[in-house]
Amino acid sequence: MNRTVVDTSPAATPAAPSPSTTPKPPRRSRQIRSTTPSVTRKAQTRLGLVLVAPLMAMVVVFLIFPLGNALYYAFVDFNGINPQPPFVGLDNFVELFKDPSVWAALKNNVIWIVLGTIAPLVIGLGLALLVWGVPRGSLFYRIAFFFPYILPQVAVGVVWGWIYDPTRGWLNRGLELVGLGSLGTGWLGNPDTALYAVLGTAVWATAGFVFVILLSALRNVDTELVDASLLDGAGPMSRLRYVILPQIMPVFLMVTTITLVGGFSVFDIVFIMTGGGPAGATEVLGTYAYGNAFQLNRISYGTALALVLTLLAVPFAVWLNRLQRRLSLQGMGA
Amino acid sequence: MSTSGTTLRPSRQALLGGRHFVLVLLSLLMLFPLVLVVSTALKTGDDVRSNPFGLFSSISADNLVTAWTVGSFGDYVLNSFLLSVPSTVLVVVLSTLGGYAFARLPFPGRSIAFYLVVLGLLVPFFTYMIPLYFQLRGMGLLNTLVGANLVLASTGLSFGTFFIRAFFTDLPTEIEEAARIDGASEWQIFRSVMLPLVSSGAGALAVFTFLQNWNNFLVPLLYLPGGQYRPLTTGLYLFLGGRSVDIGPLAAGTLITILPVMVLFIALQRQVTQGFLSGAVKG
């Protein structure tokens, strides 16, 4: 949609024409109607249908159809075998509401969403501000900080498993080194710390994503304003608060949306590192839905959970998106 | 964080040096887990036993050989390619065709079709992954490379179409009108005039999609339960689950899993970042 907000790197625009210098053509549909003869339009319609057909076939079969089925599953009692599962209405949702494990998992999701959104944002912004305006070596920093984000989560889980190892892991050894050895624990095995340990790993992996996006947003910031605020004697914090942040606000909100909404459907890293344990300490709605569907054969219950998960995330996405668009329209993103 | 100015004045040179120092330190901290993987993977067996989580003191390829042969990471590598390459090709081809149609061609039902595609950006895979399991089973595609590739491709199509469509929308109409006056057919306009102009976008999409599919964990976990087509991600997970396994080969397996990602990312850093950047703005 508003690709222009973040597009700053030269690779963004295709090599040949530069859209920024050519005036925007009028809306496509009107153009076609007003200037092209009907023979051309017929040929275009035919080609359009041919080109879009395989895409739509895939989308309908592998997205729309299973989505419809998800709705159906949530209102019946399907165990994976019965070809004609009985209709149970809202029973699955009522059970969800009463299930204490769901509430415990939701609590973990909320912790994940709050900390897992704030921490990467703060770290990512900090890194981006540091790299911003560094004339040399920014490519190296970009690669170094973004790298964790593109690694497979299983690989990330393996390494952090070693770092958190109770006896010889780097974290406990590091704590001993600075005289805080008593704080050491089996990070992933201790119900009090497991969720935060996994969350820490996730923060490590996502901060780079926030960093890359915010850095490219910073490239659009009006440096004259920044210099002017320097002359006016603004301190670093007020400069950030009143000069820099407002200019990157739309992009900032967009990253917030992405990390926040991602917090609802977190699955991979938890599943890999702890599987929801110990004793449900890291259970999130995602792992709970998976366990119900594929380990307990409670297909319908798991599906209903997944649907609720999605419904919870939608209002946030819409709200933040609207906020972001309003700010972009006010020209703050430019 | 103390300085965030963008213009360089002589007095700032020292500050800049300090900033580089901090940044290098932070980079090392960020990359440390990676260093750990590489160093553990390259240790000798004795070194691993005496000092499992430390940095290496001697280099050997033993762990890599063990992972490759005993841990069947050789098979996993092949399967990872068999799962990432066809699905990526499918995403790039179908997205490019569809993206052009949505950007440039009028056809009945265009806006409804586009809404259906965009739905894929809003709905997480999570929402429908369970019914999809039974659907694949019904279609006889469970535990097949074809099935897993189709699912992987379908998870990338919505974004791909959105991404490529933006490139086609940005192209000026004059180009296609000139071609039309020269007598080119609609297909020729697409194939010979417009398509080459979005090749950089298609390339970025290809790299981005390949990484996504290579890293995908849930799709092979759910839809390839049989194990004969197990890719690196679920293979490594299985290896991790066998707690008795030596750390050395586990590190080697991890290294084998991330090596293609590392190479691709370092070589095509710009395309990857671009794909993720545009992907982020899709909402």
Side-chain angles (χ1 to χ4, degrees):
Chain A
M1 291 197 186
N2 35 22
R3 263 176 76 232
T4 42
V5 175
V6 192
D7 273 357
T8 47
S9 141
T13 43
S18 130
S20 54
T21 52
T22 47
K24 266 253 180 273
R27 280 193 148 258
R28 246 344 266 174
S29 50
R30 216 189 306 141
Q31 183 92 359
I32 292 161
R33 226 161 277 145
S34 59
T35 62
T36 50
S38 68
V39 189
T40 308
R41 265 187 62 199
K42 230 174 176 171
Q44 285 184 328
T45 303
R46 206 168 48 224
L47 182 66
L49 287 172
V50 169
L51 293 188
V52 92
L55 170 69
M56 290 324 287
M58 282 287 288
V59 167
V60 167
V61 174
F62 291 102
L63 172 70
I64 308 298
F65 192 69
L67 256 182
N69 263 336
L71 281 177
Y72 164 70
Y73 280 14
F75 292 97
V76 296
D77 184 15
F78 184 45
N79 57 8
I81 304 155
N82 187 353
Q84 234 116 45
F87 182 79
V88 294
L90 291 172
D91 281 8
N92 286 317
F93 296 96
V94 173
E95 190 188 339
L96 271 174
F97 198 71
K98 291 180 182 158
D99 187 343
S101 305
V102 169
W103 290 102
L106 183 63
K107 192 187 130 212
N108 287 341
N109 267 87
V110 170
I111 293 174
W112 189 284
I113 287 162
V114 173
L115 295 180
T117 304
I118 294 175
L121 279 176
V122 170
I123 297 171
L125 179 65
L127 291 177
L129 286 172
L130 273 173
V131 174
W132 183 38
V134 163
R136 218 165 307 173
S138 95
L139 177 66
F140 170 76
Y141 300 134
R142 271 218 311 269
I143 290 181
F145 296 145
F146 193 58
F147 205 35
Y149 183 70
I150 58 146
L151 294 177
Q153 304 258 292
V154 201
V156 170
V158 168
V159 197
W160 280 85
W162 301 337
I163 293 176
Y164 288 138
D165 186 88
T167 49
R168 280 189 273 194
W170 283 82
L171 185 52
N172 283 351
R173 287 208 308 206
L175 285 171
E176 274 164 33
L177 217 66
V178 293
L180 293 170
S182 57
L183 289 178
T185 177
W187 297 93
L188 292 173
N190 181 343
D192 293 332
T193 55
L195 182 69
Y196 301 97
V198 180
L199 191 52
T201 305
V203 169
W204 171 78
T206 42
F209 171 71
V210 177
F211 157 78
V212 161
I213 290 191
L214 291 186
L215 181 63
S216 84
L218 283 174
R219 297 251 157 89
N220 280 336
V221 164
D222 188 347
T223 49
E224 278 175 25
L225 275 179
V226 179
D227 286 344
S229 74
L230 265 173
L231 287 178
D232 291 346
M237 278 327 270
S238 56
R239 199 158 67 232
L240 177 64
R241 167 84 180 70
Y242 297 106
V243 183
I244 299 167
L245 261 187
Q247 294 195 63
I248 60 169
M249 212 27 150
V251 182
F252 192 80
L253 283 175
M254 174 205 66
V255 201
T256 312
T257 317
I258 293 168
T259 27
L260 199 140
V261 171
F264 281 98
S265 52
V266 52
F267 175 83
D268 284 21
I269 194 71
V270 173
F271 183 83
I272 288 160
M273 288 184 79
T274 61
T282 57
E283 194 88 274
V284 285
L285 288 171
T287 52
Y288 193 59
Y290 174 90
N292 268 285
F294 292 106
Q295 281 151 10
L296 305 174
N297 287 327
R298 303 201 58 199
I299 312 301
S300 284
Y301 195 58
T303 310
L305 253 164
L307 278 180
V308 168
L309 204 69
T310 309
L311 287 179
L312 283 176
V314 166
F316 286 98
V318 171
W319 173 64
L320 279 164
N321 196 274
R322 204 174 279 170
L323 207 63
Q324 177 207 338
R325 193 161 303 160
R326 209 175 63 214
L327 290 176
S328 309
L329 286 178
Q330 286 170 359
M332 293 173 108
Chain B
M1 261 234 260
S2 58
T3 61
S4 45
T6 49
T7 47
L8 273 179
R9 278 162 224 172
S11 58
R12 293 242 192 123
Q13 288 288 6
L15 274 176
L16 196 64
R19 201 197 292 200
H20 273 299
F21 179 75
V22 173
L23 279 169
V24 168
L25 218 66
L26 288 173
S27 308
L28 291 178
L29 208 66
M30 281 301 256
L31 293 177
F32 173 72
L34 217 70
V35 176
L36 208 55
V37 173
V38 177
S39 85
T40 310
L42 297 178
K43 277 179 187 175
T44 61
D46 287 341
D47 202 359
V48 170
R49 268 183 290 282
S50 60
N51 179 25
F53 304 114
L55 299 177
F56 66 101
S57 52
S58 51
I59 294 184
S60 125
D62 289 355
N63 292 323
L64 283 167
V65 173
T66 310
W68 193 266
T69 52
V70 184
S72 42
F73 273 85
D75 296 342
Y76 299 158
V77 169
L78 179 67
N79 288 335
S80 272
F81 275 105
L82 290 177
L83 284 168
S84 314
V85 175
S87 54
T88 303
V89 171
L90 210 56
V91 167
V92 174
V93 170
L94 296 192
S95 301
T96 308
L97 300 182
Y100 181 69
F102 283 125
R104 292 283 182 173
L105 299 170
F107 56 89
R110 185 168 87 158
S111 53
I112 292 174
F114 192 62
Y115 278 126
L116 292 182
V117 172
V118 173
L119 198 62
L121 289 177
L122 304 175
V123 183
F125 177 67
F126 219 88
T127 316
Y128 58 94
M129 68 174 187
I130 299 167
L132 191 54
Y133 176 89
F134 294 96
Q135 184 184 328
L136 283 180
R137 201 175 68 177
M139 295 163 90
L141 291 177
L142 200 62
N143 259 326
T144 65
L145 280 175
V146 174
N149 266 297
L150 287 174
V151 173
L152 277 172
S154 74
T155 60
L157 276 176
S158 294
F159 167 66
T161 307
F162 214 84
F163 181 76
I164 297 284
R165 173 177 160 271
F167 279 85
F168 278 122
T169 313
D170 281 349
L171 297 177
T173 29
E174 285 78 10
I175 307 178
E176 98 187 71
E177 267 149 22
R180 198 165 289 133
I181 289 164
D182 287 346
S185 72
E186 289 304 317
W187 168 254
Q188 282 169 329
I189 293 173
F190 167 63
R191 173 67 195 82
S192 313
V193 181
M194 306 298 266
L195 199 55
L197 294 177
V198 298
S199 55
S200 71
L205 178 66
V207 178
F208 169 74
T209 309
F210 180 85
L211 281 180
Q212 295 275 32
N213 293 349
W214 183 275
N215 289 346
N216 198 304
F217 176 73
L218 206 45
V219 169
L221 178 76
L222 290 178
Y223 307 128
L224 296 171
Q228 66 269 44
Y229 300 118
R230 187 174 290 137
L232 284 163
T233 48
T234 47
L236 186 60
Y237 177 70
L238 189 83
F239 212 50
L240 182 65
R243 294 277 174 206
S244 56
V245 87
D246 285 337
I247 289 242
L250 182 61
T254 312
L255 182 60
I256 295 171
T257 306
I258 64 174
L259 207 56
V261 175
M262 284 169 72
V263 172
L264 204 64
F265 178 58
I266 291 170
L268 300 167
Q269 179 272 142
R270 185 164 287 228
Q271 281 86 338
V272 177
T273 325
Q274 201 50 49
F276 276 96
L277 272 180
S278 318
V281 198
K282 72 199 174 189

